[in-house]
């Protein structure tokens, strides 16, 4: 992996990827992910539990990962001049023997940028920062089932870091997660991609009976001199206080049983009270004005409805009977196959 160098932190902050970078690596409990997928309903974009409906919201995305949820949509044309993007923004030619439909292998990035030289100039620092962000995008936020490829098209949003910070990376991440959950919950679905770390941390925060026990072990952080930089997002706490290799994870059948026997007092409807939100950095609550908006989430060809009115208890409000709704099957059938030159913003 491309290591996090202190000199690129400023650019990560400008582009609003600093919070996600501070999460670091947390092992995925695939038995838990499978148990959650089985409870997902693509019609409403909610999990159906014995205590009622729950879902991942824009609030969860911003507080857990520190991604902006209010801004310009991540959309446009997927097809770009990949050679020019690589040369101008990364300083390397698009590898002809290592590409798949505009994608390159993530470990190729780590070979190009193993470490930032001590005497690196500003152009080199910026290229290193873009590479690090591509790693976050392809390995975590918009991961595909290959788990080793990232699309070069994202560089079109990273040419200017200030401009990159004007995009709603958080809503695009949630759209991608919704779509992947919908595909995985299909009877023919056998795999899931996307930001499953968001799904896992969401479950640990709200469904305490499924979460591993917090320990006293503190891992080394991924950035040196962390006291000199802004605090991390809420999801970072699971990195610091958990040693996954020393924690006995549940098996799928046990998870199913625990969810079936779920009691009302085993749900934390509001894991982020005002006391918690007040202690978080500004980048974790800057979009709170639209956390409860009802709107479509956009991500290139992906359009997924966001229905917070079905989970008002997650915002500390009374839950009324929501209106009848069902996400269009046709929306879920739209993908990029054969349409990479289409302008999705139109």
């Amino acid at each position: 992996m491309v290591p996090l160098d202190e000199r690129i932190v400023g650019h990560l902050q400008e582009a609003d990827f600093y919070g996600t970078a501070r999460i670091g690596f947390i092992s995925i409990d695939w038995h838990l992910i499978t148990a959650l997928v089985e409870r997902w309903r693509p019609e409403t974009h909610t999990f159906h539990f014995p205590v009622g409906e729950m879902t991942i919201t824009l609030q969860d995305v911003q507080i857990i990962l520190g991604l902006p949820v209010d801004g310009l949509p991540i959309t446009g044309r997927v097809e770009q001049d990949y050679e020019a993007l690589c040369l101008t923004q990364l300083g390397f030619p698009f590898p002809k023997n290592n590409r798949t439909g505009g994608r390159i292998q993530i470990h190729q990035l780590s070979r190009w940028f193993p470490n930032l030289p001590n005497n690196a100039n500003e152009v080199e620092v910026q290229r290193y920062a873009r590479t690090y962000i591509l790693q976050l995008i392809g390995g975590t936020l918009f991961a595909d089932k290959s788990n080793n490829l990232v699309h070069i098209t994202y560089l079109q949003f990273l040419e200017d870091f200030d401009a990159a910070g004007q995009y709603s990376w958080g809503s695009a991440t949630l759209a991608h997660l919704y779509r992947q959950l919908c595909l995985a919950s299909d009877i023919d679905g056998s795999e899931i991609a996307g930001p499953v770390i968001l799904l896992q941390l969401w479950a640990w925060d709200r469904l305490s009976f499924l979460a591993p026990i917090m320990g006293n072990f503190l891992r080394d952080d991924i950035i040196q001199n962390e006291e000199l930089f802004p605090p991390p997002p809420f999801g970072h706490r699971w990195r610091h206080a958990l040693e996954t290799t020393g924690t006995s994870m549940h098996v799928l059948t046990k998870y199913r049983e625990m969810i079936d026997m779920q009691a009302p007092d085993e749900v934390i409807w509001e894991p982020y009270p005002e006391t918690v939100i007040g202690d978080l950095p500004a980048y974790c609550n800057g979009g709170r004005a639209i956390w409860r908006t009802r709107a479509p989430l956009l991500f290139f060809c992906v359009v997924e409805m966001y229905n917070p009115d079905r989970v008002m208890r997650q915002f500390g409000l009374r839950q009324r009977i929501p209106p009848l709704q069902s996400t269009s099957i046709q929306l879920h059938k739209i993908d990029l196959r054969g349409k990479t030159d289409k302008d999705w913003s139109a």
Side-chain angles (χ1 to χ4, degrees):
M1 301 297 285
V2 179
L4 177 57
D5 191 286
E6 294 181 19
R7 287 169 288 177
I8 71 170
V9 169
H11 295 310
L12 295 181
Q13 290 175 286
E14 291 173 331
D16 277 330
F17 283 94
Y18 170 76
T20 304
R22 289 295 302 272
I23 295 295
F25 175 78
I26 297 176
S27 298
I28 299 298
D29 183 352
W30 292 108
H31 295 292
L32 172 60
I33 300 300
T34 301
L36 293 172
V37 167
E38 292 175 345
R39 290 281 176 170
W40 181 258
R41 297 307 307 169
E43 300 90 347
T44 58
H45 292 154
T46 56
F47 297 102
H48 282 201
F49 295 121
V51 298
E53 291 181 80
M54 301 182 73
T55 196
I56 308 101
T57 66
L58 292 175
Q59 180 192 47
D60 297 305
V61 176
Q62 188 159 34
I63 287 180
I64 293 174
L65 298 182
L67 287 171
V69 297
D70 192 6
L72 301 172
I74 305 298
T75 189
R77 294 184 182 274
V78 174
E79 192 172 80
Q80 300 287 325
D81 186 342
Y82 304 133
E83 295 285 350
L85 280 175
C86 272
L87 280 174
T88 59
Q89 299 196 41
L90 299 182
F92 285 88
F94 189 45
K96 295 182 179 180
N97 61 343
N98 186 24
R99 57 186 178 184
T100 306
R103 300 179 297 170
I104 62 173
Q105 295 179 358
I106 295 178
H107 65 75
Q108 174 73 59
L109 300 177
S110 63
R111 288 200 293 266
W112 284 348
F113 298 89
N115 286 288
L116 188 60
N118 293 330
N119 59 347
N121 58 37
E122 179 58 21
V123 172
E124 293 174 306
V125 171
Q126 290 185 13
R127 287 173 173 171
Y128 193 94
R130 291 189 190 100
T131 303
Y132 191 87
I133 293 173
L134 276 183
Q135 173 182 268
L136 293 177
I137 288 175
T140 302
L141 302 180
F142 306 127
D144 58 24
K145 292 178 182 179
S146 72
N147 204 32
N148 185 40
L149 295 170
V150 60
H151 210 293
I152 290 298
T153 194
Y154 296 112
L155 285 175
Q156 65 180 294
F157 304 104
L158 302 176
E159 181 177 2
D160 181 276
F161 293 103
D162 283 328
Q166 303 302 312
Y167 286 94
S168 180
W169 296 99
S171 65
T173 297
L174 188 57
H176 187 47
L177 179 58
Y178 279 6
R179 175 58 60 88
Q180 293 302 317
L181 282 167
C182 292
L183 294 175
S185 65
D186 186 87
I187 191 171
D188 296 322
S190 60
E191 297 177 293
I192 186 171
V196 289
I197 185 61
L198 171 62
L199 174 58
Q200 178 167 296
L201 299 188
W202 172 87
W204 286 355
D205 283 338
R206 294 184 180 273
L207 308 174
S208 57
F209 65 99
L210 299 178
I213 298 174
M214 284 281 192
N216 296 320
F217 177 81
L218 296 179
R219 300 184 187 181
D220 293 333
D221 208 344
I222 62 172
I223 187 173
Q224 297 180 346
N225 304 315
E226 59 176 300
E227 66 280 357
L228 301 178
F229 301 99
F234 195 67
H236 180 270
R237 71 194 186 105
W238 290 106
R239 171 182 173 79
H240 265 287
L242 175 67
E243 175 53 74
T244 54
T245 57
T247 302
S248 178
M249 295 298 186
H250 305 284
V251 295
L252 178 57
T253 54
K254 183 63 176 177
Y255 276 134
R256 288 170 174 160
E257 178 184 348
M258 294 170 71
I259 294 176
D260 286 340
M261 299 175 63
Q262 182 186 47
D265 60 355
E266 291 181 318
V267 176
I268 304 176
W269 289 103
E270 296 180 82
Y272 330 116
E274 285 300 324
T275 52
V276 169
I277 294 178
D279 290 336
L280 291 173
Y283 64 79
C284 287
N285 55 42
R288 65 183 305 169
I290 66 164
W291 285 346
R292 298 202 306 267
T293 189
R294 190 172 185 273
L297 304 173
L298 308 178
F299 174 53
F300 286 111
C301 67
V302 173
V303 179
E304 297 289 347
M305 285 305 301
Y306 177 59
N307 305 311
D309 54 327
R310 305 189 71 90
V311 293
M312 285 290 96
R313 286 181 288 181
Q314 292 184 205
F315 298 98
L317 301 174
R318 182 179 178 182
Q319 179 63 57
R320 299 184 182 275
I321 299 176
L324 293 175
Q325 60 192 73
S326 180
T327 301
S328 167
I329 296 177
Q330 296 304 317
L331 277 181
H332 285 152
K333 290 183 177 180
I334 298 175
D335 57 34
L336 290 174
R337 285 177 291 188
K339 311 181 192 76
T340 55
D341 61 340
K342 185 179 179 66
D343 185 356
W344 296 101
S345 62

